[in-house]
Amino acid sequence: MRILTVDDSPTVSQMLKATLVAAGYDVVQAENGQEGLKVLKKNEVDLIISDVNMQKMGGFEFVTQVREDPDYMGLPILFLTTEASDDFKQIGRDIGATGWLEKPFDPDELLKVVRRVTH
Amino acid sequence: MDDIELFKKTFFQECADLLGSLEAQLGSLQSGDRDPELVHESFRAIHSIKGGAGAFGFRRLIAYVHVMETVFDLIRSDKLELSDELLNSAVRASDVLADLVHAAEVGQDLEANFESAAANDLAQAAGLDRDQSLFDTLASQSSTATMSAPPGAKRRCTIEFQPKYDMLRRANEPILIVRQLKELGDVKTMVDTSALPALDAIDATDAYLAWTFELETDAGIDVVREAFEFVEDDCHLSITFEDIADAAEPVLAASAGGETPAPRAISTASIRVELERVDRLVNLVGEIAIGQAMVSQQIDDELVKTHPRLVQELTALLAHTHNLQESVMAIRAQPVKSIFARMPRIVRELSDQTGKAVRIEMAGENTEIDKTVIEQLLDPLTHMIRNAVDHGIEAPQDRLAAGKPEEGLIRLRAEQRGSRIVVEITDDGRGIDRERVRRKAIDKKLIAADAHLSDEEIDNLIFLPGFSTADSISDISGRGVGMDVVNKNIRKLGGRVSIRSVPGRGSSVMLTLPLTLAVLDGMVVRSGDETFVIPLTNIIESLLLRDDLVNDVAGSGKVLKFRNEYLALIDLKQTFNIPAQQDMPNELAIVVEVEDGSLVGLVVDEIQGQQQVVIKSLEENFDVIPGIAGATILGDGEVALILDATAVRELNGRRPANSANTGKATMENQEIHP
């Protein structure tokens, strides 16, 4: 199973990768939404985990564009964010996110949620 | 450098960049540039520092950054105007932030109020009141609060769940929710297909089905709700709990039947009944069996002659009663699948944690055992699987070096053999390091330094109380809980544990368990005018107590010579203060194996026979009696007490301090000869 992570923080990206790889997932990474779209075109992925606040293209814009493509209709997408407020969740839902994870993430919690939304 | 240190290094490098960026943005703002992007950038920098700080649990840093983040969030969303005063406070705050980051990096302990002034100053300039800044409270909070359910009794949770169209559009699939519920307990799944249109009218992306899940779980509502966390607004959801004992009416329901739920209307293949009702039935049938045995004892030659027909019918009734008893026991039986199914996940998680590649193969999952036995089997089984991965299977490179496949293999197998169930856990790992086990046993004074033990005896030393194979307590194999606890738990269930190991090839642990806890095969013995039942599983041999077999040892009481070893001899009359009877000169010794594997001789007057008895709890019906495990009613109506040999030995204070499987080592060292 391959997971795309999109986050502009090297710390977060590195921790995501280490956690997911250790759990047996393939991981491809991008630093922002623009790059995320490119990586998505080149790789078949089973799940996207994306930050919200990013330069160039933020998470909301990125996910909106992903969902516009019918090919990615059934693709689970998680937002990784420090602000899981009700407003945020509503926006996330409206643009088609599957779920969300709060930052900072606990590795076990991350894996639990990943398993929850993937086959 | 381990992973965490590596991440921290990355984090502090990133912080240096972020702090530099923050300083630059604030500088531009101070010079009068009010480009909103400068505020956004500042926010992003602060936000990223907070995220990393949270990941590593730098609480003080988190609490402080939170204030800055709150302020900049208000500014960027135009809820707060960036005055010069506020900006100056922010610049001072960012200097203190740099100090805090540095302190976290080098592990420096700053004085208690180092950052308070800057935080309060900023909060005040931003017009936040103290509560809103949350500074003090956050500083004392844990960074990652996770939901945990209070442990409690199993309850029945009924969940009605009707997804809306949008749920599927967001890639949330009901099957994933079912899967998650199954991790919480037994799930009965019912699906309402009434809204399903004709095949040609189906839109594959729409949701037509409504589900009802009945979940038996000890998890709280928070945990259950968590399964629906992402879909709560995309469905109609109702979750209700009820105590299982309160559910008076048995509920007709479709059985869970794997991944494909069966519609409610079609199948009534199983019926749910409270356990309490089944137990009542088991008890009543037990009484019938006892009554039956009493009647049977009245049958003698005289009766056969005078009432042949009556005897014939009674004999038939006896057979029926026996069948009835077995059928009732079978109600409580469940396939071991329910606990076997949890093992692959445990293996997976452990192999992730240890970096070892391990595969698990299972066989005999449909073998059935009493529900109570199954429940109590989970912990020992989990522990042994953990042991196998943690201590048994080698690291991949070691396996390759030993000419084995890189991936380790654990086999879990259950089968019924007569009235016992055998569960075997086999691994193809390194096997038991006998020299290490031996040394350890000597260190812990479990055996004498010069004790001669066979390979098998050494392997089984790991079951002795106080023995733990890991030199340091391993996080994975479960903090000090060793095989001795497994052994104790299995013995409590009336089972046995043994291990076979071939160095370099692997180990195999075998659990032998009774089919049920409600009845046991016992030997009925008499001591004075008291009748006792000794569980057959404990008995090694019974023998006549000849004078030449018995020796008095000063300070240790009498010992029995048995197979060239000396066993503690315990007289039940002395133990339970039973008056002796004159007419029974020939005493017998029943050699029994107690919990730690050592042997003890119990002195009795007479063996009356062997029979299956229904176990009655003394605790529930009377009181706890030391040395007695329970009671039963025999065929002649007499109440007999079921002996707990281990407790009887403890009552007598006869605990051979350094015997391995037998009293061998002790006696050899004392050089006692008959």
Side-chain angles (χ1 to χ4, degrees), chain B residues 561-587:
Chain B
K561 187 179 184 194
F562 176 70
R563 295 180 192 167
N564 291 324
E565 293 156 16
Y566 291 90
L567 314 181
L569 205 51
I570 295 169
D571 193 337
L572 293 182
K573 285 202 206 71
Q574 283 170 14
T575 310
F576 296 108
N577 288 322
I578 303 164
Q581 287 180 329
Q582 295 306 315
D583 59 337
M584 192 54 65
N586 291 328
E587 286 183 320

Side-chain angles (χ1 to χ4, degrees), chain A residues 8-12 14-15 18-19 22-24 51 53-55 67 73-78 81-83 89-90 92-101 103-106 109 112-119, chain B residues 3-4 6-7 10-12 14 37 41 43-44 47-48 50-56 69 73 76 143-144 146-147 168-173 175-177 179-180 205 226-230 233-234 345 348-349 352:
Chain A
D8 59 354
S9 157
T11 313
V12 175
Q14 198 175 352
M15 292 185 74
T19 307
D51 187 19
N53 259 297
M54 290 177 290
Q55 274 180 309
R67 278 284 185 251
M73 204 176 84
L75 179 64
I77 303 174
L78 296 173
T81 174
T82 42
E83 352 161 50
K89 288 176 189 171
Q90 188 54 50
R93 259 196 300 275
D94 287 348
I95 61 177
T98 309
W100 52 86
L101 272 160
K103 251 201 276 190
F105 67 86
D106 171 63
E109 191 66 20
K112 202 169 103 187
V113 174
V114 166
R115 288 191 190 114
R116 199 198 297 170
V117 298
T118 54
H119 282 283
Chain B
D3 278 357
I4 290 293
L6 200 68
F7 295 152
T10 311
F11 168 62
F12 287 118
E14 189 188 348
E37 195 51 39
E41 268 312 296
F43 174 80
R44 239 192 314 270
H47 180 80
S48 293
K50 185 181 161 190
F56 301 111
E69 189 192 29
D73 191 28
R76 75 176 179 142
S143 58
T144 48
T146 49
M147 259 190 273
L168 298 180
R169 194 172 70 84
R170 293 177 189 122
N172 274 307
E173 294 180 44
I175 188 81
L176 297 175
I177 292 169
R179 191 181 67 185
Q180 211 188 346
T205 63
E226 206 182 42
F228 298 92
E229 186 189 3
F230 297 150
D233 291 281
D234 293 331
R345 188 184 165 150
R348 219 163 40 233
E349 285 175 359
D352 288 351

Side-chain angles (χ1 to χ4, degrees), chain B residues 254-272:
Chain B
S255 72
E259 295 296 320
T260 42
R264 182 197 273 265
I266 300 170
S267 168
T268 53
S270 69
I271 172 171
R272 294 171 59 130

Side-chain angles (χ1 to χ4, degrees), chain B residues 307-336:
Chain B
H307 296 87
R309 189 66 197 277
L310 175 66
V311 171
Q312 195 184 335
E313 296 299 339
L314 277 176
T315 313
L317 197 56
L318 188 70
H320 290 317
T321 309
H322 188 70
N323 286 340
L324 177 63
Q325 200 172 7
E326 285 200 339
S327 306
V328 169
M329 295 304 176
I331 297 179
R332 287 185 53 100
Q334 282 190 337
V336 290

